[in-house]
Each structure stands twice: as structure tokens, then as C-alpha cells.
Amino acid sequence: MIPKILEKYRTELESHRRDSIIISENELNLLSPDPLDFKTSKYLGYPFIPLTMEYPKDKNGNVLIPTVQINFAEIPKSDLFPEKGILQIFLSQHFNFGKEDCFVQYITEEQLELPCIEDFSFLKDEFYSNNPFKSIYTLNFGKSFSWASATDSQYQFQCEEFDDLSIEEYMWELLDEDEDSYDEFSEFFTGESMGSKIGGYGYFIHGDFRKIESGEKCPKCGSEVTI
């Protein structure tokens, strides 16, 4: 719901609204072996890798952890994404939220017809100690939308109420002055952007790393950011 103080800006706020696909997860409470089909959408588990492709590794030759797999044939149809094919995100065994810790690849519709790797015995349970997930999850999808985000650098909204402050800075001032208004702003500009989804706006705890340069300070905690 749009905060009361911003109701007069409804038309502009609605123009920035983005379609998104909400992801709901179901934990299987196991790490291996993976009981799911190689092509299904999942967190962790075994990915679909054609025999013609090399399994992803880091610069030191260590295998990466298959962390996210999205089969576009399983999500609601959208003009934003392909109707078929698989998106895969792999993370380093030593994942520490650095740019070098992530590898992304797309498996095409044609590649999905090829024979694939079936033996993943090289993925040892101890490799997952630094991974954000500790179990395989099945995924379900539903259409939704994102209103706004205070922390996504792609979202820009200014009005006279903010003076020269950013959305996030104005929210923190509200926290000291009007807690009810702060709750409205927080729900609209952060709550709407949180959660697992594809598309829409992102929520960044320590600021959007697409904008923050090394050495700048986090707007929330004031600590220096190193990239």
C-alpha cells in the first residue's frame, strides 16, 4: 500500500511498478543424493549439464557448487524471460559474497535435448559449508509485482517531501519523528522488495553493489565497503 504522505504521487509510483515472479521454497531436509530431476527448478541438488559442456570450476580448478537452477518452462509466462531453457547460478566453495565467487550460465532449449552428466559423486558434502543453503529445496512460482525499493540503485524516486534526501535517508529521519509513518514507508520501500523472486526490484542489506564503489560507506551502518 502506498504511504499516505505519498498518495498524491500515485501515478508516478505506479509508473515505476515492475512485474516479478515470486519464488516459494520447500525444503527437502537433505543435501545428497538429489531425488529431483536434473532439469527441474531447485536450490542446490544436481544441475543439468550437457556432456558437451565442462562442469564449472573456479580459477584454481575447484568445482563450483550448483546453488540455483531455474527452468523457465516451469515459471508463469512473462515478456521478461525466455519460455524455455535453464538459468544456473554456481557459487564458490569458499563463498564470501564477492563478485569472483559467482558463476552464471544459461542452458538453451537445444542443449536440453543432449545427454547430460549423471554422476555427481565429485560434489562432497563438506564443499557446502559456506553455501547460503544447507539443503535441497523444490521451487514454485507465481506472478506478482514490485512497487519500489529504497536500496535498489535502479529505482529513483524524488519528491518535495524528501528535500535532498534519498528514500532511505528520509525513512531513517521518520524513525525518530513519526514511527507510524516510518512503518508505512518501510513496508512499501523495503518490505515490497524483499523475498525470493525473479525480476522486480532487489533489496540490499548493505547497499546495492552495482552502485557502491570500493571505499564508500554503507548508508545503514556507516562501515566502509570493499569490493
Side-chain angles (χ1 to χ4, degrees):
M1 180 180 294
I2 295 176
K4 295 184 183 68
I5 194 173
L6 299 182
E7 181 60 39
K8 62 183 177 182
Y9 301 105
R10 173 175 287 275
T11 299
E12 181 177 354
L13 289 168
E14 287 183 339
S15 71
H16 289 285
R17 198 173 77 172
R18 288 182 174 181
D19 290 335
S20 62
I21 295 175
I22 297 297
I23 303 174
S24 57
E25 309 98 345
N26 179 48
E27 186 175 2
L28 298 186
N29 293 308
L30 61 89
L31 187 56
S32 63
D34 181 3
L36 304 176
D37 187 88
F38 293 124
K39 296 181 182 180
T40 197
S41 301
K42 66 184 84 174
Y43 294 155
L44 298 189
Y46 303 150
F48 181 90
I49 305 290
L51 291 175
T52 54
M53 296 178 63
E54 183 179 351
Y55 186 89
K57 298 178 180 178
D58 65 17
K59 61 182 180 181
N60 296 316
N62 299 310
V63 296
L64 298 175
I65 302 302
T67 303
V68 179
Q69 177 165 281
I70 304 294
N71 187 332
F72 288 109
E74 297 176 347
I75 72 172
K77 288 188 177 181
S78 168
D79 294 336
L80 301 175
F81 309 107
E83 293 186 8
K84 296 182 180 179
I86 289 178
L87 175 70
Q88 297 171 334
I89 300 175
F90 296 80
L91 299 182
S92 167
Q93 295 178 35
H94 309 290
F95 177 67
N96 193 32
F97 296 94
K99 291 185 292 186
E100 71 281 357
D101 294 337
C102 180
F103 175 78
V104 180
Q105 71 179 10
Y106 176 71
I107 306 297
T108 67
E109 180 181 356
E110 291 74 24
Q111 289 173 318
L112 287 173
E113 300 301 320
L114 299 173
C116 67
I117 297 174
E118 296 186 7
D119 181 6
F120 289 92
S121 58
F122 57 85
L123 292 176
K124 307 300 183 182
D125 287 359
E126 57 265 28
F127 294 172
Y128 293 75
S129 59
N130 292 322
N131 197 277
F133 300 104
K134 305 302 179 186
S135 168
I136 299 171
Y137 287 76
T138 61
L139 305 180
N140 292 294
F141 306 94
K143 277 192 171 183
S144 186
F145 59 83
S146 292
W147 274 105
S149 174
T151 60
D152 190 318
S153 63
Q154 297 181 5
Y155 183 83
Q156 301 295 328
F157 172 73
Q158 287 292 323
C159 63
E160 58 184 357
E161 281 78 9
F162 293 177
D163 293 324
D164 293 325
L165 301 176
S166 68
I167 298 170
E168 200 168 13
E169 290 168 335
Y170 183 75
M171 282 171 54
W172 288 114
E173 286 203 349
L174 280 178
L175 184 59
D176 295 327
E177 300 171 2
D178 185 344
E179 191 169 340
D180 289 340
S181 292
Y182 169 81
D183 289 341
E184 282 189 334
F185 265 74
S186 180
E187 177 60 28
F188 184 74
F189 286 109
T190 62
E192 290 279 354
S193 58
M194 298 175 88
S196 300
K197 61 179 177 292
I198 310 170
Y201 293 102
Y203 176 74
F204 301 86
I205 296 175
H206 297 296
D208 189 339
F209 284 88
R210 294 170 297 184
K211 181 178 180 182
I212 296 176
E213 298 293 337
S214 183
E216 287 190 13
K217 291 186 176 181
C218 171
K220 280 191 176 181
C221 65
S223 62
E224 189 172 285
V225 176
T226 302
I227 300 179

